[in-house]
Amino acid sequence: MTLKVKYFGLIAELTACEEESIEISATSIAELIQFLSEKYPSLKSKDFQIAQNREIASIETTLTGEEIALLPPFSGG
Amino acid sequence: MSRYSRHIVLSEIGHIGQEKLSKAKVLVIGAGGLGCPVLQYLTAAGIGTIGVIDHDTVEVSNLQRQILFGTSSLGLNKALAAKRRLEDLNPTITIHAYPEKLTHSNAKSYFEAYDIIVDGTDNFETRYLISDMAIIQNKPVVYAAIFKFEGQVSVFNYQNGPSYRCVFPNPPNEGSVSNCSEVGVLGVLPGIIGSMQANEVLKIILDFGYILSGKILCFNSKTSETAIIKVSKSETAFSKALNKDASLQNDYIHTSCPTETSHISIKDALKLTNTEFIDVREIHEQPKLDTLNHLQIPLRELEQKITEINTDKTSIIFCQSGIRSQQAIGLLRKHNIQNSYSLREGVSKLIEELNIKA
């Protein structure tokens, strides 16, 4: 399936883009993360939360969505 | 009431709404990039009681975005400087300035005195503390955080809604995300995001519109795009917060950002109450500090003598120049002693300052 993946904050810096389309046969969020971590090795050391179709998901969630977002926590104020 | 006439003519507010604002009590934690616009709009709106906590001083590099301050505030504590400016903006309300750091020992009493908590802090340690204390005391938190050109806004813990830990269950690993406000930030960004926080505060008090509860709004100033992401309540996250000992003390990351959270100036240190000064120099080192009661624990013995430190007090660590005291803070953080600062200046300056005071 084709997924639109959106990156925020520090994650967008390491992927060097804010959004991209990915062709993937993964069935779970965990597999997608695995795929992205191979594409962007420095992602492994980062903390982020995943959203699927604009809803916070967990690593066990089944991949159904068209849009995935990788949301890191921000500390700045 | 002509001060609020533009509020009162709105059917959503009116005299009744303005009265609600005047009875509200809001605590703003952090008077930085986010805190400044929040404080300005809440003060202008006539929130009856506003508390502001910040232990930091105004530096020239703050003025690019912290629009509450001018050059005349440089070197002053932010909470006190904010109070001065805000009282000019609206002398009809009550503003309490607390020139100290929010810690797990003082958070409880601060939270008890206010209805709504605004999180405008710049570090994860305080964000998780705020989140957990808000769950324990059942107070809504108007949250925001920024990074360079992006901001996040949400209302947590509102009418039984989700909390910060439902989005980010645990503090990030050390080094995984920047915990330092030394990162660049577009000056106007905290202005936009902080104004959104003020908007949420007003909606909560006035009870109109839709509150940003159960969702997190992500704004990108480069693209002007906004994404709203739904958040569900996680009972695990809540029980983590309610299990106070685990979450309030052991769980936070212990990075120290030298210019922000772990350093304190002599002036601010002397303003704090309930402090204990600790000299981490070797016993033989000169000059001696004899005008102030203090503990002496040389840095190399600090770890084995860690139990001598009274954690109910704020520890102010000093040495000859501020380098060993900073290392000491690293050790204390490792042993979960958060309520401590490294004195920015060395012992000579401290003696000088005490002599002036005496």
Side-chain angles (χ1 to χ4, degrees):
Chain A
M1 75 178 103
T2 311
L3 288 177
K4 182 161 99 175
V5 186
K6 288 172 84 104
Y7 305 109
F8 290 88
L10 208 65
I11 309 289
E13 287 189 347
L14 76 90
T15 60
C17 67
E18 278 166 2
E19 194 178 311
E20 66 180 329
S21 272
I22 282 180
E23 197 60 47
I24 191 171
S25 57
T27 55
S28 71
I29 300 271
E31 282 176 63
L32 171 70
I33 300 303
Q34 179 66 31
F35 174 86
L36 292 173
S37 304
E38 278 162 29
K39 191 172 180 190
Y40 306 107
S42 43
L43 200 60
K44 282 187 201 127
S45 60
K46 301 295 172 198
D47 279 283
F48 53 85
Q49 184 56 269
I50 312 271
Q52 172 160 252
N53 295 340
R54 308 215 164 184
E55 186 161 359
I56 297 290
S58 82
I59 200 93
E60 297 91 30
T61 310
T62 311
L63 201 57
T64 57
E66 303 88 59
E67 189 186 290
I68 299 290
L70 269 60
L71 203 69
F74 295 165
S75 72
Chain B
M1 270 305 190
S2 62
R3 174 182 282 270
Y4 306 117
S5 59
R6 296 297 181 94
H7 262 170
I8 291 165
V9 294
L10 290 169
S11 60
E12 289 83 353
I13 302 183
H15 284 285
I16 294 173
Q18 196 58 47
E19 192 59 29
K20 282 185 192 166
L21 294 176
S22 76
K23 284 186 180 146
K25 295 175 184 165
V26 181
L27 178 64
V28 178
I29 304 172
L34 293 169
C36 282
V38 172
L39 286 164
Q40 272 168 307
Y41 277 113
L42 296 186
T43 299
I47 301 291
T49 309
I50 296 176
V52 49
I53 305 185
D54 204 310
H55 67 286
D56 224 340
T57 51
V58 181
E59 290 176 22
V60 72
S61 65
N62 299 149
L63 302 184
Q64 159 258 19
R65 64 195 181 287
Q66 299 180 15
I67 50 168
L68 195 51
F69 310 122
T71 44
S72 65
S73 300
L74 291 176
L76 300 178
N77 169 271
K78 285 185 181 176
L80 298 171
K83 178 179 157 80
R84 192 179 65 177
R85 166 77 186 102
L86 296 169
E87 278 173 345
D88 179 46
L89 177 58
N90 190 347
T92 70
I93 65 165
T94 306
I95 297 160
H96 299 292
Y98 309 110
E100 51 195 288
K101 188 174 157 66
L102 188 80
T103 64
H104 61 258
S105 42
N106 65 19
K108 189 170 180 280
S109 59
Y110 282 137
F111 276 48
E112 274 167 359
Y114 294 89
D115 315 317
I116 298 172
I117 312 296
V118 177
D119 179 355
T121 56
D122 63 358
N123 64 86
F124 289 114
E125 186 189 332
T126 317
R127 289 191 184 282
Y128 280 88
L129 169 60
I130 291 171
S131 170
D132 292 349
M133 189 52 78
I135 290 177
I136 291 164
Q137 295 206 16
N138 196 22
K139 306 263 170 167
V141 176
V142 179
Y143 156 91
I146 51 173
F147 176 80
K148 294 186 179 179
F149 300 92
E150 293 176 53
Q152 300 169 342
V153 192
S154 186
V155 176
F156 292 125
N157 212 34
Y158 174 73
Q159 293 184 350
N160 216 18
S163 174
Y164 183 53
R165 281 189 192 268
C166 302
V167 188
F168 301 110
N170 297 303
N173 293 317
E174 245 172 88
S176 152
V177 278
S178 168
N179 196 32
C180 251
S181 34
E182 293 301 286
V183 187
V185 59
L186 185 72
V188 69
L189 177 77
I192 296 169
I193 303 297
S195 300
M196 285 184 174
Q197 280 181 290
N199 184 39
E200 293 306 315
V201 172
L202 297 182
K203 284 190 293 178
I204 293 172
I205 298 165
L206 296 166
D207 197 20
F208 69 72
Y210 299 95
I211 309 294
L212 256 181
S213 167
K215 38 196 137 163
I216 182 164
L217 181 150
C218 307
F219 174 77
N220 184 328
S221 67
K222 278 187 186 168
T223 57
S224 294
E225 264 187 50
T226 298
I228 293 181
I229 291 167
K230 271 197 227 161
V231 181
S232 307
K233 190 171 175 177
S234 145
E235 292 306 331
T236 336
F238 272 73
S239 58
K240 198 170 269 178
L242 291 168
N243 182 6
K244 210 166 130 184
D245 286 334
S247 61
L248 285 189
Q249 292 175 28
N250 302 326
D251 186 21
Y252 305 120
I253 49 164
H254 302 131
T255 50
S256 54
C257 180
T259 56
E260 293 293 332
T261 54
S262 59
H263 274 198
I264 193 165
S265 67
I266 291 174
K267 265 193 183 151
D268 287 336
L270 295 175
K271 273 182 215 148
L272 295 182
T273 50
N274 198 28
T275 53
E276 180 167 63
F277 282 72
I278 304 173
D279 187 351
V280 291
R281 297 176 301 161
E282 296 297 316
I283 305 293
H284 59 80
E285 281 182 69
Q286 296 290 337
K288 290 279 173 222
L289 176 66
D290 32 43
T291 48
L292 184 75
N293 271 337
H294 66 283
L295 267 183
Q296 269 193 314
I297 312 177
L299 180 62
R300 58 188 172 80
E301 295 170 17
L302 187 62
E303 262 196 296
Q304 70 213 58
K305 291 190 173 169
I306 206 107
T307 50
E308 289 181 21
I309 293 174
N310 180 353
T311 50
D312 292 334
K313 292 186 172 186
T314 305
S315 300
I316 310 289
I317 317 287
F318 67 92
C319 62
Q320 209 71 279
S321 65
I323 294 171
R324 277 176 286 176
S325 57
Q326 181 58 29
Q327 291 172 335
I329 293 295
L331 283 175
L332 296 187
R333 297 283 197 270
K334 205 173 109 193
H335 290 268
N336 289 321
I337 301 175
Q338 305 297 331
N339 192 13
S340 54
Y341 294 101
S342 160
L343 202 66
R344 207 170 262 147
E345 306 96 332
V347 65
S348 304
K349 279 263 183 224
L350 177 60
I351 293 173
E352 228 177 270
E353 195 68 31
L354 289 167
N355 285 342
I356 296 169
K357 282 204 142 194

